[in-house]
Amino acid sequence: MRLSGVYLSKYVSGGFILAFAIVISSGFYTYLTTQDLINTAEKLTDAYRVSAISNQILALTVDIETAQRGFVITGDSSYLGPYFVAKDTIDYFIKSLQQLDPANAPLIELSDTLHRLIKLKQQFVEHVIQARSISEEMANQYVITGFGKDVMNLIRKQIYSLQEGQHGFFQQSKLIWNERLKQFQIAFITLSVVIACVIGLLFYFINNALKIRNATEAKLKEALQGVRMLYDNAPCGYLSVGPDIRITNINTTLLKWLGYSSSEVVGNFKYEDLLSEASKEQFLSTFERDFEEYKTKGFVQGLEFEFKRKDGSVFPVLVNSSAIFDHQGNFYKSTTTVFDISDRKRLELRFKSLIESSPDALIIVNDEGKIQLANEQSELLFGYSRSEMIGNKVEMLIPEELRANHVAQRMQYTSRPVRRPMGLGIELKAQKKNGQLVPVEISLSPIETDEGMLIIGAIRDVTERNKQEQHIRQLNAELEAFTYSVSHDLRAPLRSINGYTEILDQEYASRLDDEGKRILATVTRNAKRMGHLIDDLLDFSRIGRQELKKAKVDMNQIVRTIADEFIIHENGRRIELGIDDLGSAYADVSMIKQVWINLLSNALKYTSKNEVTIIRINRQESLTEIQYSISDNGVGFDDRYKHKLFEVFQRLHSTQEFEGTGVGLALVKRIITRHGGTAWAFGKVDNGATFAFSLPKT
């Protein structure tokens, strides 16, 4: 027995040692397997995060694109709200993407490329917004380059490439997870066989393994909750459908839009159940063909439908979808992004309303010259119905002899489209349905759309305006001739009056009493005033007939020369004259001198009762014109009557207060108008006045 006991003891010891070795080996193997499970879970979590974050980045980039388009079309800065939100948050998601797996070189490379593309897109959008703040034309110049669209396509391609890579990784990681789990189960069975012998030691290893597993599950649960939160609270809708097109997942955003709960939709609704009746009919009519094409390509973009809410109301959406396949290459499910485009549709409706309410005929033509839209005024102007115009070339509205040439001009314009009047310097004619030619004025405005470039032509019938302008020109010519004739006819009797008053003053002054001398002085003074008035009328008439000879004029030299001449004759007056750098302008030298003479003499005249005269002459410049102004601290005028200042014989002060004929400012207005500019004034009684005028830069 002893021997047997010894033998037994050795056997038990050997068995215990063997069992202990098995437990140790199995425990160590279990530990390694658990670590693999943890790593695999973390990789799966990262894959989920990459997919969710990349979708979020795409949604924010689309917001930037949509905000830019809305702002360019309308000029309304409220459309930029989504742009600023996206701009402030998109860097956070890019950084989150880069930090998910710093050791994953392909992911880092794709993320860095995506970051550069988005930065490039943001810079382009900022340039477009800045350009639109200046003018719609400048913004359209940026947009029509297609650069922004190309960058957007690259961003989408980069994100889809990223998601496809993560999908493959997800499938691979899932297989690894299953394999490791199987190995874990084998180790667990092995441990169970020897548990009776080494219960305490086995319990220790199992306890540790369970702790690790619980920690893994907790981390996985936390990660999934974070992904789900991003998924549910995205600014766009998300949904997934299975092979039978039944909805398997949907986020909170889309549920709120639809008014359903998740339990009502998931597993119960097919995709077409979300559509309005019209969209459902459209969807089902081509579903078989479209679905096969979708599974072949792996994605669809830019589909527009109407979704139906639970209360029966509908709203427009834009849908993008990517297909996910199992390891055998069969369609598994979709990841579909849904954008509410109600605001865009309202904008389009508003645009159409504006087109219809326009007082001018509006024609919208594509880059092939085909009419896409025509308003009611177009029907009235040309005599065609809209159905007769839409789809046909715009040359149908051009006189027959000009159509061939117009095709070449149209193609040249579409290659470099800008907003401008058509046919500058020539008389344009359009042809009605009955063959009648009508004079027109046309303005062209290009706009960039998803379907390509469109050109809006605003057409105005100027038949009546031409008649009125001709009539006005005839009346002005007759009035100038009459003024010139009357002025000359008045000179003869005026010379006689002056002659007789001189004779009376020189030869009969001693015989006149004080009253007679006063009357004689009054006659002489009024005769001189009448002479000045005739001279002014002749100048006013001559300006209307005189040829305009524009050249580059040094305004500093002209103004300072005139001012020096005036101040020399103002002995004893304290005059503070401030003149800015007036630069140069294109004008008729003699005419612009007359403008400054009249304005400076006015400023000196109406400040003559001040102890100190203050006169300031300034220049301001814009993109298209130069503005000059002269301000004084004189008696000023009532601003309610400023419209009378530039009319002939209209004066706001009596001749007893200040001498004058009432023609000087009218002459200023006529000269500036002939130069293509405008003249204006503003002031306050006893608080000075400012007179200003503008000149075109060319």
Side-chain angles (χ1 to χ4, degrees):
M1 290 296 294
R2 184 178 177 187
L3 289 174
S4 63
V6 172
Y7 172 78
L8 211 62
S9 176
K10 289 181 179 179
Y11 180 81
V12 172
S13 297
F16 181 81
I17 292 171
L18 179 62
F20 184 77
I22 293 173
V23 170
I24 292 296
S25 300
S26 300
F28 182 72
Y29 182 74
T30 303
Y31 175 77
L32 293 178
T33 304
T34 305
Q35 288 298 319
D36 284 340
L37 286 172
I38 293 173
N39 293 333
T40 304
E42 290 177 346
K43 290 178 180 179
L44 287 172
T45 301
D46 289 344
Y48 274 116
R49 286 180 175 174
V50 168
S51 179
I53 292 173
S54 60
N55 280 331
Q56 186 69 33
I57 291 171
L58 179 59
L60 292 171
T61 308
V62 170
D63 283 349
I64 291 174
E65 178 78 2
T66 304
Q68 171 212 309
R69 290 181 181 176
F71 183 60
V72 168
I73 293 173
T74 66
D76 186 353
S77 60
S78 65
Y79 284 94
L80 295 179
Y83 164 72
F84 291 116
V85 172
K87 181 181 177 183
D88 291 339
T89 57
I90 199 165
D91 284 341
Y92 167 78
F93 288 107
I94 289 288
K95 190 174 294 182
S96 299
L97 189 62
Q98 293 172 331
Q99 292 174 349
L100 282 177
D101 189 0
N104 188 340
L107 175 62
I108 295 300
E109 183 179 355
L110 287 171
S111 300
D112 290 342
T113 302
L114 181 61
H115 193 195
R116 288 194 297 273
L117 288 172
I118 289 174
K119 284 296 181 184
L120 193 59
K121 178 64 178 177
Q122 287 178 332
Q123 291 171 4
F124 177 77
V125 172
E126 286 175 1
H127 287 313
V128 172
I129 292 172
Q130 291 172 1
R132 182 62 181 84
S133 300
I134 298 173
S135 71
E136 184 179 1
E137 177 183 351
M138 186 177 294
N140 285 331
Q141 287 297 317
Y142 276 101
V143 173
I144 61 177
T145 62
F147 179 77
K149 182 180 178 182
D150 293 341
V151 174
M152 191 65 192
N153 289 337
L154 288 174
I155 291 172
R156 287 194 176 99
K157 183 177 179 182
Q158 197 73 9
I159 288 177
Y160 295 149
S161 176
L162 185 63
Q163 291 179 341
E164 286 174 4
Q166 292 303 309
H167 172 65
F169 175 75
F170 174 83
Q171 295 298 327
Q172 183 181 1
S173 298
K174 187 176 180 182
L175 292 174
I176 293 172
W177 170 277
N178 291 332
E179 183 64 23
R180 293 292 183 270
L181 187 60
K182 184 177 180 181
Q183 294 172 356
F184 177 83
Q185 290 170 344
I186 293 173
F188 186 81
I189 292 172
T190 302
L191 288 173
S192 299
V193 172
V194 297
I195 191 83
C197 301
V198 287
I199 186 67
L201 189 61
L202 188 59
F203 177 79
Y204 174 77
F205 282 108
I206 291 175
N207 187 55
N208 279 351
L210 289 175
K211 285 181 179 179
I212 293 171
R213 183 171 181 174
N214 289 337
T216 302
E217 290 177 349
K219 289 176 67 175
L220 181 59
K221 184 177 180 180
E222 181 182 355
L224 290 175
Q225 285 176 343
V227 172
R228 186 70 199 189
M229 185 176 295
L230 287 172
Y231 180 81
D232 277 335
N233 296 290
C236 57
Y238 290 120
L239 63 86
S240 295
V241 299
D244 60 351
I245 317 301
R246 196 169 297 277
I247 295 173
T248 60
N249 205 356
I250 186 169
N251 74 339
T252 304
T253 301
L254 186 52
L255 287 171
K256 287 180 180 178
W257 291 352
L258 295 167
Y260 289 104
S261 65
S262 178
S263 59
E264 290 177 294
V265 176
V266 175
N268 298 317
F269 277 32
K270 288 191 172 184
Y271 178 76
E272 61 263 28
D273 295 328
L274 301 178
L275 303 177
S276 67
E277 293 303 321
S279 289
K280 181 186 292 186
E281 182 179 352
Q282 173 193 348
F283 175 76
L284 294 177
S285 65
T286 59
F287 170 71
E288 296 295 337
R289 183 185 71 244
D290 293 343
F291 190 48
E292 290 303 318
E293 183 179 350
Y294 169 62
K295 289 189 290 185
T296 301
K297 290 175 58 179
F299 68 92
V300 290
Q301 295 178 344
L303 301 180
E304 291 191 13
F305 296 107
E306 280 187 337
F307 273 16
K308 181 172 65 176
R309 298 186 181 93
K310 187 176 182 179
D311 62 10
S313 61
V314 299
F315 62 100
V317 296
L318 180 72
V319 175
N320 298 323
S321 183
S322 297
I324 297 177
F325 303 91
D326 60 22
H327 63 282
Q328 296 178 342
N330 298 319
F331 175 73
Y332 173 62
K333 70 173 183 177
S334 73
T335 56
T336 303
T337 309
V338 181
F339 300 95
D340 184 347
I341 56 172
S342 300
D343 290 339
R344 195 189 84 183
K345 289 296 183 181
R346 280 192 290 269
L347 183 62
E348 290 175 357
L349 183 62
R350 181 183 175 191
F351 176 73
K352 290 181 180 179
S353 176
L354 288 173
I355 292 290
E356 286 301 324
S357 62
S358 171
D360 294 327
L362 291 180
I363 299 288
I364 297 182
V365 180
N366 65 11
D367 54 5
E368 296 179 353
K370 291 183 179 180
I371 299 173
Q372 305 296 299
L373 189 146
N375 67 351
E376 184 179 356
Q377 292 298 324
S378 301
E379 296 178 307
L380 296 175
L381 175 59
F382 294 108
Y384 291 101
S385 67
R386 296 185 210 200
S387 60
E388 290 176 301
M389 289 187 281
I390 293 175
N392 288 312
K393 292 292 185 74
V394 71
E395 279 73 29
M396 68 184 293
L397 309 176
I398 306 295
E400 292 184 9
E401 65 274 12
L402 301 177
R403 290 177 183 175
N405 188 44
H406 183 267
V407 172
Q409 291 176 339
R410 171 169 54 76
M411 294 176 66
Q412 182 180 5
Y413 177 82
T414 54
S415 65
R416 296 183 64 185
V418 293
R419 183 179 180 183
R420 63 171 175 81
M422 179 177 172
L424 285 173
I426 60 175
E427 184 180 77
L428 298 177
K429 290 187 181 293
Q431 181 170 299
K432 294 186 174 184
K433 183 178 181 180
N434 61 11
Q436 178 186 351
L437 299 182
V438 56
V440 293
E441 188 178 76
I442 302 175
S443 177
L444 303 177
S445 299
I447 56 173
E448 192 68 32
T449 69
D450 293 337
E451 290 76 27
M453 187 184 66
L454 298 177
I455 300 167
I456 302 176
I459 308 163
R460 179 173 295 177
D461 184 347
V462 294
T463 303
E464 290 302 319
R465 191 182 74 184
N466 288 348
K467 291 179 181 179
Q468 293 172 1
E469 289 176 352
Q470 179 61 31
H471 183 60
I472 290 172
R473 284 194 293 269
Q474 183 177 351
L475 290 176
N476 285 337
E478 292 174 358
L479 180 61
E480 288 179 3
F482 173 75
T483 303
Y484 189 79
S485 175
V486 168
S487 299
H488 273 281
D489 291 344
L490 287 175
R491 281 194 178 279
L494 190 61
R495 281 194 294 270
S496 298
I497 293 172
N498 283 331
Y500 283 120
T501 55
E502 286 182 10
I503 293 173
L504 285 173
D505 185 48
Q506 293 173 4
E507 298 184 10
Y508 297 97
S510 59
R511 303 182 188 180
L512 297 175
D513 57 12
D514 291 341
E515 180 62 18
K517 291 178 180 179
R518 186 189 67 78
I519 293 172
L520 180 61
T522 300
V523 172
T524 302
R525 184 172 61 255
N526 286 332
K528 288 181 179 179
R529 183 171 179 274
M530 178 63 76
H532 292 317
L533 181 59
I534 291 172
D535 290 338
D536 288 345
L537 284 173
L538 287 173
D539 289 340
F540 189 76
S541 176
R542 186 179 66 254
I543 289 297
R545 301 189 309 275
Q546 183 177 332
E547 181 183 356
L548 192 67
K549 298 179 180 179
K550 295 176 73 172
K552 192 173 183 180
V553 177
D554 186 345
M555 287 292 196
N556 287 308
Q557 182 181 358
I558 289 177
V559 172
R560 292 187 184 280
T561 300
I562 294 171
D564 290 344
E565 291 177 359
F566 276 131
I567 292 174
I568 289 174
H569 297 91
E570 298 290 339
N571 294 329
R573 288 183 62 178
R574 290 178 57 192
I575 299 175
E576 294 181 7
L577 178 62
I579 303 176
D580 282 355
D581 181 6
L582 303 180
S584 58
Y586 282 91
D588 185 294
V589 177
S590 61
M591 290 188 185
I592 210 67
K593 279 184 179 179
Q594 189 63 54
V595 169
W596 284 115
I597 288 171
N598 289 3
L599 293 178
L600 274 165
S601 63
N602 257 20
L604 290 169
K605 176 168 62 177
Y606 290 106
T607 58
S608 60
K609 297 181 180 180
N610 291 16
E611 291 184 7
V612 178
T613 292
I614 301 175
I615 299 174
R616 297 284 183 266
I617 302 176
N618 300 306
R619 166 194 166 109
Q620 289 184 330
E621 190 171 339
S622 68
L623 290 173
T624 58
E625 65 181 15
I626 303 170
Q627 296 180 1
Y628 295 97
S629 63
I630 177 168
S631 303
D632 62 60
N633 64 334
V635 296
F637 58 84
D638 191 334
D639 206 52
R640 292 176 299 173
Y641 304 112
K642 62 184 178 182
H643 61 282
K644 294 184 176 182
L645 288 171
F646 294 98
E647 302 300 325
V648 181
F649 304 136
Q650 296 293 325
R651 305 187 74 234
L652 301 185
H653 301 87
S654 66
T655 54
Q656 286 76 20
E657 291 180 284
F658 300 99
E659 292 185 355
T661 61
V663 179
L665 290 177
L667 189 61
V668 168
K669 179 182 178 181
R670 171 165 281 203
I671 292 172
I672 297 303
T673 301
R674 286 205 62 192
H675 279 76
T678 55
W680 67 94
F682 54 89
K684 289 184 179 180
V685 176
D686 297 327
N687 202 23
T690 297
F691 290 84
F693 64 90
S694 65
L695 293 173
K697 282 192 170 181
T698 57

